[in-house]
């Protein structure tokens, strides 16, 4: 009887430590900081510290890449579809746009 109780407690401890969710997952889209003074005039509480301006590009998330004027974005822009081969060279000034297969922008990031 003692062994059954110990086995049940061990099984309970293991299931209590396991996670039922998917966890944090990959980092989400870079969104601009909120309007801290509440005057809704579009000012930004913190300056953009990313070298390619990605933190200010949160408005692009959810848009079709064909609808975005890529020439108006900062410098070098790389479009990354799900099956796109991506080089590992790091270029801080390059704006990367992660896309869905249908061309919806998921995340802007520098690199």
């Amino acid at each position: 009887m003692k062994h059954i109780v110990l086995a049940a407690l061990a099984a309970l401890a293991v299931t209590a430590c396991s996670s039922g969710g998917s966890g944090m997952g990959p980092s989400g889209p870079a969104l601009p900081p909120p309007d801290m003074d509440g005057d809704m005039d579009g000012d930004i509480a913190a300056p953009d510290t990313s070298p390619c301006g990605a933190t200010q590009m949160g408005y692009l998330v959810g848009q079709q890449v064909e609808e975005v004027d890529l020439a108006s974005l900062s410098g070098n822009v790389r479009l990354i579809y799900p099956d796109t081969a991506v080089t590992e060279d790091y270029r801080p000034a390059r704006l990367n746009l992660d896309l869905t297969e249908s061309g919806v922008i998921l995340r802007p990031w520098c690199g």
Side-chain angles (χ1 to χ4, degrees):
M1 179 71 173
K2 186 177 178 181
H3 296 289
I4 294 174
V5 172
L6 289 175
L9 286 174
L12 182 61
V14 169
T15 57
C17 292
S18 67
S19 172
S22 62
M24 292 290 292
S27 61
L31 298 176
D35 179 19
M36 297 305 284
D37 58 6
D39 61 3
M40 305 298 283
D41 67 356
D43 60 354
I44 296 175
D48 185 8
T49 58
S50 63
C52 71
T55 57
Q56 300 302 320
M57 305 276 176
Y59 68 92
L60 294 174
V61 175
Q63 293 187 34
Q64 288 285 333
V65 71
E66 294 86 19
E67 298 173 1
V68 176
D69 181 15
L70 297 177
S72 69
L73 300 178
S74 63
N76 189 3
V77 179
R78 177 167 60 172
L79 304 178
I80 305 172
Y81 288 89
D83 292 330
T84 301
V86 179
T87 60
E88 293 183 15
D89 62 322
Y90 179 72
R91 297 183 184 181
R94 177 174 50 201
L95 176 65
N96 295 295
L97 296 176
D98 286 341
L99 307 170
T100 64
E101 289 181 12
S102 62
V104 175
I105 298 172
L106 297 174
R107 178 177 70 118
W109 56 283
C110 300

